Every structure is written in C-alpha cells, then in structure tokens.
Amino acid sequence: MGLVSGLLLLPLAPVRGTAWIADHLLQEARRQAHDPRAVQARLAALNRALDEGAIDEAAFEREEEHLLTLLERPTRSPGRTTTTKRARRRHV
C-alpha cells in the first residue's frame, strides 16, 4: 500500500478492524457451537428439561433432532476441504 492510499484509507481503519473482529468472533462462535462436548452438554440439559416438564415432547424432539444433526455433521474450517473430498475429486 502506498503512502497516499494509506493516508486516504486511514479513516476506514476502524471499520476494517471492527469487521475483522466480528469475523473472528463469528468463526469462534461457530466452532464452539459445533464442538461435540458442547452439543452433548446441550443434549443432557435438554433431557433434564424434558424430565422436569419444562418442555413438551414435540419441542424436545425438534431440538434433539437439531443437536443430533450437529453431532453427525463433520466440523471443518471454512475454505478447507477434507482429504476424502479431494480424493473423490481426483477419481471422478
């Protein structure tokens, strides 16, 4: 970046910094939401809520299905491909 463009874009630095922080916070939130230990803890809390009568059977089943889907879905970072996907592309 040249001196002139650096000076002209200087007022946008707080916006770019805020966007960078927001992006990293979003990535971390997604990582934590899909962490198998966290999902299992949410399943345990869901079962307790059903046992205590805090939620009904239909709500339990909806949330349980969602949480089980999170457990079954492989976690990976955005922009990365898994080895099996790369291998499939080469042989297709």
Side-chain angles (χ1 to χ4, degrees):
M1 185 181 305
L3 180 63
V4 174
S5 61
L7 288 173
L8 290 175
L9 294 176
L10 191 60
L12 295 177
V15 174
R16 288 186 300 191
T18 302
W20 181 83
I21 290 171
D23 182 51
H24 283 285
L25 287 174
L26 179 62
Q27 288 176 10
E28 180 63 18
R30 285 182 179 158
R31 186 190 64 77
Q32 288 181 9
H34 291 90
D35 180 26
R37 290 173 296 188
V39 175
Q40 289 170 350
R42 289 168 58 191
L43 274 170
L46 185 65
N47 280 312
R48 279 192 305 275
L50 180 66
D51 291 342
E52 294 169 357
I55 59 172
D56 63 354
E57 189 74 28
F60 172 81
E61 288 178 5
R62 280 192 308 271
E63 186 63 21
E64 181 187 40
E65 183 66 31
H66 172 71
L67 293 173
L68 291 176
T69 302
L70 288 177
L71 277 178
E72 292 170 357
R73 185 180 309 152
T75 58
R76 60 186 181 100
S77 300
R80 289 187 168 180
T81 58
T82 59
T83 315
T84 55
K85 284 189 176 184
R86 275 190 242 133
R88 272 191 241 136
R89 274 192 238 138
R90 275 190 244 137
H91 292 100
V92 174

